[in-house]
Amino acid sequence: MQWTAEAEAALKKVPFFVRKKVKSRVEKETAAEGKTVVDIEAVKTTQKRYLSGMAAEVKGYQLDTCFGSNGCPNRSVISEDLLKRLEQVLQEADLLSFLKEQVGDNLKFHHKFRVSAADCPNACSQPQIKDIGIIGAVTPAITEETCSQCAACVEVCPDDAITINETVAIDRDRCMACGKCIVACPTGTLGEKARGYRVLLGGKLGRQPRLARELPGIFNEREVLDIVDACLVLYKKKRRGGKRFAAVLTDTDFDQLSKRFWKQNWPGFQARKVNKFFTSGAGKIP
């Protein structure tokens, strides 16, 4: 579908992270009217319709995902089953009724509880700025197989986390658990230690933006669902009015969730993050 110059200029003013959705919506509504060209009036009509009918479109939550299922070569995990189960958990939480009790019928999209999943650390679905972010992860382990020193792992690692002297070494502080080195290793010197998901909590944009903080560990699907459920319970207990999860999630809450779901399956990297984020003073997990 063609766009006029004026319509394209208006689209460029839309924030980049929703621009694709806005463009798709404008084109869909324009096509429904039998038109093949998007002009500025079509953009304004869609905008007006969107603003006036916003409350009817809010379902209480938003579940985003990346492009992994479309054949992305960077996938660390396949998350389709997890996404289905997450959708069920979010539906059963009946967040729409809860939000109406808190805010009233005049709901806006920014009131929604946002969960985002990404199949690899590239994080195209922006999990770092969502209430709960989920990132696919595969942590490498050094096996007993002899390293041929081919350096294939070094070349494929995007984070410079691998070095080879007499044998291979992994810098856990730099490793993002994408699993590319495991696939590239021809000798099996690098194997899989843990496969699952990293979980981040309390991210948001807006007037007071905040990056989500990462729980220590790599979690399986069941554990991810348990974490989401625990966060929803906390969210309902503490939220008042239009506040986001990031605004009600305190350092103490984060510490308690970290201790509850602690998994020591990513040494070095996770230990550094735990020591950074814990505010109790001990800096240790029992």
Side-chain angles (χ1 to χ4, degrees):
M1 183 168 287
Q2 295 181 340
W3 285 61
T4 66
E6 192 176 10
E8 285 188 340
L11 181 65
K12 289 180 180 179
K13 296 179 182 179
V14 175
F16 73 92
F17 49 88
V18 293
R19 193 175 299 159
K20 185 176 180 180
K21 291 183 179 180
V22 171
K23 181 179 180 181
S24 177
R25 181 170 184 143
V26 172
E27 290 184 345
K28 181 179 179 180
E29 294 190 7
T30 301
E33 295 178 0
K35 300 178 180 179
T36 58
V37 176
V38 177
D39 56 20
I40 188 63
E41 290 304 318
V43 175
K44 290 181 178 180
T45 298
T46 300
Q47 180 186 37
K48 184 177 180 180
R49 189 179 294 128
Y50 166 83
L51 293 174
S52 63
M54 187 182 300
E57 295 187 30
V58 175
K59 62 179 182 180
Y61 67 89
Q62 178 177 316
L63 178 59
D64 297 322
T65 186
C66 63
F67 305 107
S69 60
N70 294 324
C72 176
N74 296 315
R75 302 181 84 180
S76 300
V77 299
I78 297 175
S79 62
E80 278 86 343
D81 288 342
L82 175 62
L83 290 169
K84 292 177 182 178
R85 298 171 75 182
L86 281 170
E87 187 84 39
Q88 183 177 358
V89 168
L90 292 167
Q91 288 177 350
E92 291 176 353
D94 194 13
L95 290 165
L96 180 58
S97 296
F98 172 75
L99 288 174
K100 285 184 176 180
E101 291 176 0
Q102 295 291 311
V103 183
D105 293 328
N106 190 26
L107 292 176
K108 301 291 189 297
F109 285 125
H110 65 263
H111 291 132
K112 295 186 294 185
F113 190 92
R114 290 172 170 81
V115 179
S116 179
D119 287 352
C120 82
N122 289 346
C124 298
S125 55
Q126 302 175 319
Q128 296 90 346
I129 56 173
K130 304 298 171 63
D131 294 311
I132 300 178
I134 301 162
I135 302 176
V138 181
T139 56
I142 300 174
T143 71
E144 296 181 355
E145 297 295 330
T146 302
C147 175
S148 66
Q149 300 192 14
C150 67
C153 55
V154 176
E155 294 175 4
V156 78
C157 179
D159 304 300
D160 297 325
I162 302 178
T163 55
I164 295 179
N165 293 317
E166 294 182 359
T167 186
V168 63
I170 303 170
D171 185 341
R172 300 289 178 177
D173 284 343
R174 299 186 67 88
C175 177
M176 299 300 293
C178 66
K180 288 185 176 182
C181 59
I182 301 172
V183 176
C185 180
T187 59
T189 306
L190 291 175
E192 182 179 307
K193 178 178 178 62
R195 178 182 294 268
Y197 301 90
R198 297 158 53 196
V199 180
L200 292 74
L201 305 180
K204 74 182 186 74
L205 290 179
R207 293 171 66 93
Q208 297 176 330
R210 181 182 303 173
L211 287 177
R213 295 185 288 178
E214 184 172 346
L215 292 175
I218 303 296
F219 305 94
N220 61 36
E221 286 192 9
R222 181 65 263 170
E223 291 165 335
V224 171
L225 296 172
D226 288 342
I227 291 170
V228 172
D229 186 64
C231 289
L232 289 172
V233 170
L234 179 65
Y235 171 71
K236 287 184 174 182
K237 178 181 178 180
K238 299 188 66 176
R239 172 164 175 159
R240 296 293 181 272
K243 290 186 177 181
R244 288 282 300 276
F245 183 54
V248 301
L249 180 69
T250 65
D251 289 336
T252 299
D253 295 327
F254 184 83
D255 288 0
Q256 290 175 347
L257 289 168
S258 296
K259 291 176 182 178
R260 176 177 173 183
F261 295 104
W262 163 249
K263 288 191 70 175
Q264 194 173 4
N265 55 13
W266 196 351
F269 181 87
Q270 290 295 349
R272 176 173 59 85
K273 290 187 176 294
V274 169
N275 289 333
K276 177 180 178 181
F277 288 132
F278 266 59
T279 58
S280 60
K284 297 180 181 180
I285 300 207

